[in-house]
């Protein structure tokens, strides 16, 4: 199995960063980590990042997800080619719907299932690769329609939404 792509993980929990570095380092060519989003845009400008796994809450005691939405917009404004998967322990259906509507490829809930997280990130990478080539892709786990701009993920939150 060849490792491809550069993944950037942004989370304020250093234990999560270390765990994800170990898990994802076996599957991506490069895994970069940031403990705060403050250097996110400068990192995206200097590094060839394909996918960002972005925590949604960075301020202690606040779990609205608004920080994640702010940084999602900043990524889209500065590097619209980069795919974003949002990541939070405080999930509900409304948050997942807003994440997808605002442009995230998918939405992952902590604690995560390793296999599902890896599949979600690989799918985001495959979308990025296909978009570079100017093609639409359809897989059994994610359908991306360039015409409608809709992304359909397979996370637990998206399954609840569809049901």
């Amino acid at each position: 199995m060849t490792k491809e792509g550069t993944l950037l993980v942004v989370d304020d929990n250093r234990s999560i960063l270390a765990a994800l570095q170990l898990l994802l380092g076996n599957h991506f060519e490069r895994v970069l980590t940031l403990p705060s989003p403050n250097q996110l845009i400068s990192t995206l400008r200097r590094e060839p990042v394909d996918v960002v796994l972005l925590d949604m809450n960075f301020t202690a005691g606040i779990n609205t997800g608004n920080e994640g939405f702010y940084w999602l917009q900043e990524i889209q404004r500065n590097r619209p080619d980069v795919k974003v998967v949002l990541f939070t322990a405080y999930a509900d259906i409304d948050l997942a719907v807003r994440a997808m509507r605002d442009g995230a490829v998918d939405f992952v809930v902590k604690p995560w299932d390793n296999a599902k997280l890896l599949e979600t990130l690989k799918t985001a990478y495959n979308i990025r690769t296909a978009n570079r080539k100017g093609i639409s892709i359809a897989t059994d786990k994610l359908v991306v329609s360039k015409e409608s701009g809709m992304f359909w993920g397979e996370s637990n939150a998206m399954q609840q939404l569809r049901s």
Side-chain angles (χ1 to χ4, degrees), residues 1-18:
M1 167 177 68
T2 61
K3 297 191 290 186
E4 295 181 304
T6 299
L7 175 68
L8 173 60
V9 181
V10 186
D11 196 297
D12 57 338
N13 185 321
R14 292 187 187 273
S15 297
I16 287 177
L17 292 178

Side-chain angles (χ1 to χ4, degrees), residues 30-49:
R30 292 179 67 211
V31 178
L32 310 172
T33 60
L34 289 175
S36 161
N38 295 337
Q39 299 298 315
L40 177 57
I41 301 305
S42 62
T43 300
L44 290 176
R45 287 184 180 140
R46 111 178 141 260
E47 298 288 346
V49 173

Side-chain angles (χ1 to χ4, degrees), residues 104-118:
V105 172
D106 212 333
F107 184 88
V108 176
V109 179
K110 298 175 191 174
W112 65 90
D113 173 272
N114 286 345
K116 286 183 181 179
L117 176 63
L118 181 59

Side-chain angles (χ1 to χ4, degrees), residues 15 32 61 66 88 98 105 128 137 153:
S15 297
L32 310 172
N66 287 337
T88 186
R98 181 175 173 200
V105 172
R128 164 96 161 107
I137 63 170

Side-chain angles (χ1 to χ4, degrees), residues 51 54 82 93 100 125-126 144 153:
V51 178
L54 177 64
V82 172
I93 292 175
M100 302 301 281
Y125 174 74
N126 290 337
V144 181

Side-chain angles (χ1 to χ4, degrees), residues 25-149:
N26 293 323
H27 301 279
F28 287 88
E29 186 177 351
R30 292 179 67 211
V31 178
L32 310 172
T33 60
L34 289 175
S36 161
N38 295 337
Q39 299 298 315
L40 177 57
I41 301 305
S42 62
T43 300
L44 290 176
R45 287 184 180 140
R46 111 178 141 260
E47 298 288 346
V49 173
D50 297 299
V51 178
V52 175
L53 178 60
L54 177 64
D55 189 19
M56 295 186 71
N57 300 297
F58 295 95
T59 303
I62 297 177
N63 57 16
T64 62
N66 287 337
E67 291 169 301
F69 289 121
Y70 170 81
W71 289 107
L72 173 62
Q73 286 180 321
E74 288 298 302
I75 294 167
Q76 291 173 333
R77 193 166 57 82
N78 288 276
R79 287 285 309 276
D81 56 315
V82 172
K83 301 303 171 198
V84 179
V85 174
L86 292 175
F87 194 48
T88 186
Y90 304 98
D92 62 33
I93 292 175
D94 291 336
L95 206 58
V97 169
R98 181 175 173 200
M100 302 301 281
R101 186 187 66 220
D102 287 1
V105 172
D106 212 333
F107 184 88
V108 176
V109 179
K110 298 175 191 174
W112 65 90
D113 173 272
N114 286 345
K116 286 183 181 179
L117 176 63
L118 181 59
E119 184 177 331
T120 298
L121 294 171
K122 284 293 192 178
T123 299
Y125 174 74
N126 290 337
I127 293 168
R128 164 96 161 107
T129 302
N131 287 350
R132 270 194 230 151
K133 296 175 184 175
I135 58 175
S136 295
I137 63 170
T139 70
D140 62 337
K141 291 296 177 190
L142 182 71
V143 177
V144 181
S145 169
K146 284 191 124 178
E147 294 77 32
S148 70

